Amino acid sequence: AYQVEPLVRQLDQAQQSISIILDTRKFQNKSIEYEILRQTMDFFQKHYPELITVWLIVPVSFIQRCIWSFFSIFLQERQVSRIRMLPDLHSLVHYVDQESLLITYGGKATIFDNCKSE
């Protein structure tokens, strides 16, 4: 929360939405990381619901996407419509323009590079 608020304040006044990229490449203990993922989603939905356009979760295997498809039928359509499970980082360019996508993910933006995890 302490890192998010200053970043939200940096958004251009014309900026009406944001996309959140959740990079799962370094998830070690799946159950713990997915619980953190759930808590992060809950945080943003509670405090910044009007800003979130889409959650982009990468990379997600074919099996994981199939499991998501099954379980997503039990969620509200509004929630499901905001979540995209992507097979690889290259898929991000279909959802985020290169000017807004971090260099880390193949784009040109540097503004939020200090938030990336190493």
Side-chain angles (χ1 to χ4, degrees), residues 65-109:
R65 290 192 314 271
C66 289
I67 292 169
W68 165 250
S69 294
F70 173 75
F71 284 107
S72 66
I73 63 175
F74 300 106
L75 300 174
Q76 294 177 357
E77 185 177 335
R78 183 172 180 259
Q79 293 173 314
V80 174
S81 68
R82 291 183 174 189
I83 298 173
R84 301 288 183 277
M85 303 277 195
L86 306 177
D88 54 45
L89 295 177
H90 302 292
S91 302
L92 289 170
V93 297
H94 300 291
Y95 295 92
V96 182
D97 64 278
Q98 281 209 313
E99 299 300 318
S100 300
L101 190 61
L102 294 176
I103 292 171
T104 306
Y105 299 112
K108 298 178 182 177

Side-chain angles (χ1 to χ4, degrees), residues 3 7 17 26 46 48 53-54 56-57 62 67-68 71 74 78-79 83 85 89 94 99 102 104 109 115-118:
Q3 290 184 349
L7 295 174
S17 65
K26 295 188 180 181
K46 180 178 180 182
Y48 304 102
T53 301
V54 67
L56 303 168
I57 305 172
F62 176 75
I67 292 169
W68 165 250
F71 284 107
F74 300 106
R78 183 172 180 259
Q79 293 173 314
I83 298 173
M85 303 277 195
L89 295 177
H94 300 291
E99 299 300 318
L102 294 176
T104 306
C115 296
K116 68 182 180 194
S117 61
E118 291 297 330

Side-chain angles (χ1 to χ4, degrees), residues 15-69:
Q15 181 76 36
Q16 296 182 13
S17 65
I18 60 175
S19 299
I20 297 179
I21 299 170
L22 299 168
D23 186 350
T24 64
R25 289 179 294 174
K26 295 188 180 181
F27 278 18
Q28 299 291 323
N29 182 334
K30 299 292 186 196
S31 62
I32 293 172
E33 278 90 356
Y34 283 112
E35 178 59 25
I36 292 170
L37 171 63
R38 188 191 62 72
Q39 290 177 9
T40 302
M41 293 175 81
D42 289 346
F43 170 81
F44 276 98
Q45 288 174 349
K46 180 178 180 182
H47 297 287
Y48 304 102
E50 70 284 352
L51 289 178
I52 307 302
T53 301
V54 67
W55 291 83
L56 303 168
I57 305 172
V58 296
V60 180
S61 72
F62 176 75
I63 300 296
Q64 290 170 313
R65 290 192 314 271
C66 289
I67 292 169
W68 165 250
S69 294

